Each structure stands twice: as C-alpha cells, then as structure tokens.
Amino acid sequence: MSSFWSKTAKGVTPYVPGEQPQDKQYIKLNTNENPYPPSPKVLEAIQDAASLLRLYPDPEALELRKAIAKHFGLSHQEVFVGNGSDEVLAFAFMAFFMPDRPVVYPDITYTFYEVYASLFGVKATTIPVREDFTIDIRPYCTDRAGVIMANPNAPTGLLLGLKEVETIVRSNPNNVVIIDEAYVDFGGQSAVTLVRDCPNLLVVQTFSKSRALAGMRVGFAIGSTELIEGLNRIKDSINSYPLDRLALACAKAAIEDDQYFKDITQRIIKTREGTKGALRAMGFNVLDSKANFVFVSHSDIHAAQLFKELRERGILTRHFPRPRIDNFLRVTIGTEEQMSQFIEALREVIADRQ
Ligand SMILES: *Cc1c(COP(=O)(O)O)cnc(C)c1O
C-alpha cells in the first residue's frame, strides 16, 4: 500500500486475468481464446492499415461501426465500439450506473462486474443462482436496479432463452439492462433483435472469442441511440481513440467474413459436444455449456488438484477459488487434437490415483 495511491487505488481489488505464461508452450485451455487463427482477410487488412499508422485513427470508428451495423441490420448510431468489451462494460457502468443507480447480477458470473461496481462506487447486489447454477429470472424483474448478465453465463456456460431475456428487459423499463453476449455465437440466440423495441437494452459482444481476435482488443455494444450516445459521452471524456488503426481494420475484415466465422464456430461447437460426451463417460459432472468452454467437476478428485496435475502435463485450465465453484474447472474448447490430448492427460491423472 503506497501513500501516493488515491483512496480509489487503495480500495480496489483488481480483476485477475487467466495466466499467459511465456516460459514454455502450453496447451492453452484457460482463457477462452479461439483455437483457430482469425480470418485470412484480417491479415490482408493489417497490411493495408499499417501504411497509415502515422495518422490518428478515426475517433468515430465509422467504417467499423457501419460494418457491424450492416451485419445486424441496424444503423451505426446503434453501435458503439471499444477497446475490448471489458472497456465497453466499464464505460457502460460509468454511463448508466455510477454513482447512484444500483445494479444486480448473479453471484456466479464474470468477476469483472464486481470489480467495476467497486471501482465506480456502484451499489451492487448479487442474486444467487440455483443449486444447479441455472438462473431464476424473477428477482431480476423488479425495475428497482440496473441489471448486468452474461448470456451464456460465465463460467458456467449456461444459457437463458431469448424469451427469458426479453422478460427481464421488459420488466425493467426504467433501468438499463446489459446483456453481455461474449459467448452467444457458440449456441445462443442474441438479444440484438430486441434493441429497436427496448430502449433500455444494451447488448455487448466481443471479437475476442468467436472471431479469434483476442489479441486485438475489440468489443462493441448495440442499443438504442440514446444509450449509445451515453457511452460516447463517457468515451469522449476519457480517450478519443480507444481503437487503433490496426484494430479497426481487423475487426471490419473479421465481421465481413461471415463464412469463415460460421466455419470456425461450428467446428468449436462440434468439438465441445464431443468433449462433453468424453468427459461424462469418465465420470465428470459437465454443465450443459453453450459457450466455447465447459465447466466440470469430478467426485473423486478436487478441481484444484486436477488443475495442478494438468498444468504439470503442459495443459492450462482455469480454476476459480471462490465459494460454490471451488470444485469446478473451466476448460476452453481447443482444436480436436488439443481436446484429445486433454482427455488423454485426464485419463493419466485419474489412473495415477488408483
Ligand atoms: C471474455 C469476456 C469478456 C471480455 O472480452 P474482451 O472483449 O476480450 O474484453 C467480457 N465478458 C465476458 C463474460 C467474457 O467472458
């Protein structure tokens, strides 16, 4: 604790990202990155954009916003882009909650929400998910607080149907409801179709997972022009250019290559379903994830132990030492080959104990 730190810097408990070790090559199944490279069109776009790097990028990110709008059949005034969806979410907390509007979210969810709530002094209340980690939507339908929810949820991968999302949104006409759809492309139905009808709905998505651009840091939000304007007011008060030229060009190329995107997401979904089957056959409890990861536990070996043994075998997974999920492991879906190696390593770990 330094005496130079502000009260805010002293008070925060920062988010802890999954490890990105530089010491050796691991099979990385710990941070939900895409195992496939981005679209080849992205590489071409970088070449072109690089020649203009002496110039500042477009502060309005107009071309990218238009490309995203076109993809969803909307106008660019309904699209906001940021430096990763984490930044978009931070701006959303500032634009819609800070400091005096409370927010609710599930007790088991993306831990960045509690970091933002604490950093921005937003009063946050968590609502426990059920014993089986599913979400009971009723406590979210009070119109007494903003709502932020990941759908599919993280780290469980469980999905709420569009009807249920719509019920939450429509029951909160006086509060902003943020649906974080970081994983929606792996089997969910997006709530983007509701934004024209629901001015209180903000849908947040990212290029990091389904479009294989985690290294570029591009996220976006879709919502009514009034919500997008609110986000722009915050953005233009912090950083005029959160997206650099390379990021803008990459993301545009990625969203325009829909066929490639569909191909890689379909492959990941297929591998996920195969992995679920293999894990269940080995006695694992596997939640029915609709994301690019699975959330699993085993009755005989604690998740912390599994995490350690897999790491020793060169395979990284994610273990959250938190209440309720301490005995679960989150495993990102890699390539078929990587998942075979993962299953093989698990077999070894289990056999070694007997
Ligand atoms: C990965 C993730 C994000 C952040 O994505 P970036 O765009 O890479 O910042 C946001 N929300 C959830 C639930 C995530 O899992």
Side-chain angles (χ1 to χ4, degrees):
M1 197 72 71
S2 159
S3 63
F4 292 121
W5 294 355
S6 68
K7 196 166 156 243
T8 303
K10 283 179 187 152
V12 287
T13 309
Y15 176 76
V16 183
E19 54 185 327
Q20 300 286 357
Q22 312 292 325
D23 58 329
K24 64 170 196 175
Q25 283 278 320
Y26 288 91
I27 295 183
K28 273 196 88 265
L29 308 178
N30 68 327
T31 49
N32 298 343
E33 289 140 335
N34 202 304
Y36 302 109
S39 155
K41 305 255 166 67
V42 164
L43 298 179
E44 292 167 27
I46 290 183
Q47 289 272 317
D48 296 344
S51 64
L52 287 171
L53 281 177
R54 77 187 173 78
L55 300 173
Y56 278 109
D58 173 12
E60 292 193 53
L62 208 55
E63 282 192 51
L64 174 58
R65 287 166 64 214
K66 281 187 174 161
I68 294 170
K70 186 167 175 218
H71 179 82
F72 290 103
L74 297 165
S75 79
H76 70 272
Q77 288 96 335
E78 294 162 300
V79 180
F80 177 85
V81 294
N83 193 267
S85 57
D86 287 337
E87 185 184 75
V88 176
L89 292 166
F91 287 173
F93 265 75
M94 285 188 261
F96 310 125
F97 305 138
M98 178 172 121
D100 51 359
R101 286 177 181 249
V103 65
V104 293
Y105 48 81
D107 63 335
I108 307 296
T109 192
Y110 190 41
T111 51
F112 235 130
Y113 307 153
E114 73 181 28
V115 175
Y116 290 140
S118 132
L119 176 64
F120 300 131
V122 172
K123 187 175 173 295
T125 308
T126 56
I127 298 174
V129 298
R130 296 189 186 104
E131 200 58 41
D132 64 359
F133 299 114
T134 57
I135 288 172
D136 175 2
I137 64 166
R138 282 168 302 178
Y140 297 93
C141 298
T142 63
D143 204 17
R144 270 182 297 202
V147 177
I148 179 156
M149 197 174 273
N151 194 40
N153 198 12
T156 63
L158 297 180
L159 181 78
L160 274 185
L162 187 56
K163 269 274 157 262
E164 291 179 291
V165 172
E166 182 169 1
T167 303
I168 296 172
V169 176
R170 291 199 191 274
S171 326
N172 288 283
N174 297 296
N175 285 283
V176 174
V177 175
I178 301 176
I179 306 295
D180 178 354
E181 295 187 345
Y183 302 105
V184 78
D185 298 322
F186 300 104
Q189 227 184 326
S190 175
V192 162
T193 49
L194 304 175
V195 297
R196 281 262 160 104
D197 233 23
C198 306
N200 62 325
L201 168 63
L202 191 77
V203 178
V204 177
Q205 292 194 9
T206 176
F207 283 78
S208 296
K209 277 93 185 213
S210 56
R211 289 188 170 80
L213 280 179
M216 263 298 162
R217 313 301 302 123
V218 187
F220 60 96
I222 305 230
S224 58
T225 52
E226 101 192 75
L227 293 190
I228 299 306
E229 215 180 305
L231 288 170
N232 274 322
R233 289 173 71 86
I234 298 294
K235 177 220 135 200
D236 290 328
S237 308
I238 292 181
N239 183 356
S240 306
Y241 315 100
L243 293 190
D244 61 60
R245 280 184 175 273
L246 300 186
L248 291 172
C250 283
K252 179 168 180 283
I255 198 125
E256 286 173 350
D257 196 349
D258 205 41
Q259 193 53 52
Y260 182 85
F261 157 77
K262 284 182 178 143
D263 287 349
I264 60 174
T265 45
Q266 280 312 314
R267 273 158 89 172
I268 291 165
I269 290 168
K270 184 157 173 277
T271 306
R272 177 189 70 207
E273 296 308 310
T275 302
K276 281 181 185 170
L279 287 167
R280 285 185 181 130
M282 293 169 78
F284 278 87
N285 168 26
V286 184
L287 300 196
D288 189 25
S289 168
K290 299 289 184 212
N292 67 338
F293 55 82
V294 286
F295 200 53
V296 304
S297 68
H298 197 280
S299 54
D300 302 340
I301 314 178
H302 195 275
Q305 182 70 20
L306 276 175
F307 169 84
K308 194 169 143 272
E309 303 243 10
L310 285 167
R311 199 174 191 287
E312 281 160 10
R313 287 167 173 78
I315 300 176
L316 290 183
T317 58
R318 192 90 196 262
H319 173 246
F320 300 93
R322 290 172 66 93
R324 301 191 72 183
I325 56 170
D326 181 51
N327 196 17
F328 278 79
L329 212 56
R330 191 194 69 187
V331 184
T332 305
I333 301 301
T335 61
E336 281 288 334
E337 169 68 22
Q338 289 176 323
M339 298 325 278
S340 300
Q341 289 175 272
F342 163 69
I343 296 289
E344 204 38 57
L346 274 182
R347 270 192 231 291
E348 265 181 48
V349 173
I350 290 169
D352 282 358
R353 289 176 53 88
Q354 275 144 14

